[in-house]
Amino acid sequence: MIQPAFWKDRRVLLTGHTGFKGSWLAMWLQSMGARVVGYALPPSTQPNLFELAGLARQMVSILADIRDPERLRRAFTDHPPEVVFHLAAQARINLFCP
């Protein structure tokens, strides 16, 4: 069961916040009162939910690569989370055509 009181003022770090699912999760967490910090690459499509919803104005948004360990470490140091959601991923379809 969802407990809105649990999320009130909870510090959440969300990787992949500029993607479709990450943007929805960021909005949901904010609606529950969480303080969300996002860490992701810039949105890869136009239009995209992240920009259409104006999420950059509503949260700390760090545009960086998850494969950069020093930058990621700095995000955790600068914004110590209580909860982490890891949604950063690279969707790929590899087709083998003989």
Side-chain angles (χ1 to χ4, degrees):
M1 178 165 55
I2 304 300
Q3 297 291 331
F6 174 82
W7 297 105
K8 180 77 173 133
D9 293 322
R10 184 81 53 187
R11 294 183 318 271
V12 178
L13 188 126
L14 168 60
T15 68
H17 73 291
T18 59
F20 184 74
K21 291 178 183 177
S23 293
W24 273 110
L25 181 55
M27 288 189 292
W28 179 79
L29 290 167
Q30 289 174 345
S31 76
M32 300 281 197
R35 293 182 284 154
V36 181
V37 174
Y39 186 102
L41 293 173
S44 60
T45 62
Q46 291 296 330
N48 61 76
L49 181 58
F50 177 75
E51 291 174 351
L52 291 173
L55 288 173
R57 293 185 308 271
Q58 302 170 31
M59 62 188 290
V60 174
S61 176
I62 301 168
L63 299 180
D65 196 319
I66 194 83
R67 298 170 295 179
D68 181 345
E70 288 305 315
R71 183 65 188 99
L72 185 58
R73 189 177 347 270
R74 192 164 63 246
F76 272 81
T77 301
D78 293 348
H79 308 279
E82 297 173 89
V83 177
V84 175
F85 286 95
H86 177 49
L87 275 65
Q90 181 65 44
R92 291 207 170 158
I93 298 175
N94 292 322
L95 300 176
F96 177 74
C97 298

